[in-house]
Every structure is written in C-alpha cells, then in structure tokens.
Amino acid sequence: MYTYTTSVPRSAAKTAAKTATQTAVKTATQTAVKAATTSVTKTALLVAVVLAACLAAPAAAAPAATALGACGPGRLCLWPKPDFKGRVQTHELATTDLDSCIALPPGASAQSLANRTGRPVTTYQSAECAEVGEFETYPGRGTWVPQTPYEVRAFKLWER
C-alpha cells in the first residue's frame, strides 16, 4: 500500500496563517467600530431626545417671575398682598414726617412694598413702631420687596 501525504511548503502555511489572522483582525475591528458607532449614535440620539423634551416643555412649568409693582419716583408704595397685588397705598416725602412713626389705617397692613424715596425706610409689624415685634430697614432709590417677612402695620422714613 501506498500512502500519499501532501505537504504544504512552510512559506505557504505562514502566508495562509497571516492572511487568516489579518482577516480575523479586520473582521473584529469592523465589528467593534460598528458597535461603537451604534453606541455613540444611540447616545447622541438619547441626548437629542432629552434636550428636545426639555426645550419643548411649556414655559408655564417654570415659576413665573414677579412683575415689579408700579411705584413712581420719590414714593413709598405699600400693597396689601404679596407680589404687589391689591390696592396700593402711596406716601411721598413732601407729605410724610421723617423719623416719625406712620401707622397704616386701622385694619390695614402691607405684604409687599417698593421704596423709591431715596431714603431708608423701616417697616414694623407693630402699628406703634415698637421694636418688640418684627421690623426691617430697606434702602431707598429703588427697593422692591415682593413679600415682606411679616405684615407691615407702620413705617418710618429716615433722614439718611
């Protein structure tokens, strides 16, 4: 009996192995790039969707800014409700004694104010300007307070 063996020259075996390795590396690289591209594309798409949702949200969902109450120059304006709502009471320097306690009318109080007098004003929880209750001093020349920390029942305008 005769046995036939085929032998492949070493250089041909090396070439075949090298080609197989290169093909495997190329295929693995292409697969990795495709997976990475898909992952990046999915991430970019997710970011775009989230941004679009944020931008499309109605503006009403955000708290609205309080509009400043209308108060002319040289005046102290007091509103009975927060955010400059209700019928405004105005006081001018020309008709208000400086350094004197000015009580609001009986039963009246203020919860927001604007000081455009150019003088500091101290507001009081007490109708007699007593310092046993709450009190706060606000600078002049344009101070708007949308909600005082207590109901204002009296005030003093200061010389400076």
Side-chain angles (χ1 to χ4, degrees):
M1 257 202 266
Y2 293 102
T3 308
Y4 294 99
T5 50
T6 310
S7 103
V8 177
R10 282 185 166 226
S11 61
K14 279 185 176 181
T15 303
K18 185 176 179 182
T19 303
T21 302
Q22 288 174 341
T23 303
V25 168
K26 184 177 179 182
T27 303
T29 303
Q30 288 173 342
T31 303
V33 167
K34 184 177 180 182
T37 304
T38 302
S39 176
V40 168
T41 302
K42 286 180 180 177
T43 302
L45 182 59
L46 179 62
V47 168
V49 167
V50 169
L51 283 174
C54 289
L55 293 174
T66 300
L68 297 179
C71 185
R75 295 175 186 256
L76 171 66
C77 300
L78 303 164
W79 287 268
K81 296 183 181 184
D83 299 324
F84 313 106
K85 294 191 178 2
R87 186 175 176 165
V88 66
Q89 294 182 41
T90 60
H91 302 271
E92 293 185 35
L93 282 175
T95 58
T96 304
D97 292 332
L98 295 178
D99 301 330
S100 296
C101 182
I102 310 296
L104 300 184
S109 66
Q111 293 185 40
S112 54
L113 66 92
N115 182 12
R116 299 205 52 209
T117 63
R119 310 289 172 96
V121 64
T122 301
T123 60
Y124 296 88
Q125 185 178 35
S126 160
E128 295 83 30
C129 298
E131 293 180 2
V132 293
E134 296 286 333
F135 63 96
E136 186 88 25
T137 301
Y138 301 97
R141 299 211 190 282
T143 302
W144 275 264
V145 182
Q147 183 159 10
T148 59
Y150 49 86
E151 289 190 38
V152 175
R153 293 184 180 87
F155 67 91
K156 280 185 189 178
L157 283 169
W158 300 99
E159 181 63 38
R160 294 248 184 228

